[in-house]
Amino acid sequence: QVQLVESGGGLAQSGRSLRLTCAASGFTLDNYTLGWFRQAPGKEREGVSCISSNDDSTYSTDSVKGRFTISRDNAKNTIYLQMNSLKPEDTAVYYCAAALFTAEQAMCLWDRGIDYWGKGTLVTVSS
């Protein structure tokens, strides 16, 4: 059974850090472009950070540049999102995703060609 399962969400104070983890099962991540998306209450889902299949290129939305870092460990079949200097506006449900034939920028900007989604993990940042 193909699954992406996120973990690491929770409550954090403004300025603190969290690391999200997304573990894949039922398929290998090696050839996939991977990404993290989020959806805040009352807002549309947005691409946060995406990483190319060969790990040489990333894309991040402007609001998280310099604070969030996406990474992948193909040996562990896992995706990470390190979130530093958290802000209350980062509060959202965070989802990981995998796309086989999509570049990282297209994946993040337009949700293009996504093959698999996780079910999400809630991040709440208090002021």
Side-chain angles (χ1 to χ4, degrees), residues 2-8 20-25 27 36 77-79 96 117-121:
V2 171
Q3 279 189 332
L4 291 171
V5 180
E6 302 94 339
S7 62
L20 304 184
T21 299
C22 174
S25 60
F27 73 111
W36 287 94
N77 225 26
T78 300
I79 318 159
C96 62
W117 287 96
K119 293 185 177 181
T121 186

Side-chain angles (χ1 to χ4, degrees), residues 55-68:
D55 202 12
D56 69 347
S57 181
T58 63
Y59 172 86
S60 292
T61 192
D62 286 346
S63 63
V64 307
K65 285 180 180 177
R67 300 189 299 122
F68 290 10

Side-chain angles (χ1 to χ4, degrees), residues 35-47:
W36 287 94
F37 295 75
R38 66 186 180 186
Q39 188 166 21
K43 295 189 177 181
E44 292 188 354
R45 185 174 62 205
E46 67 168 341

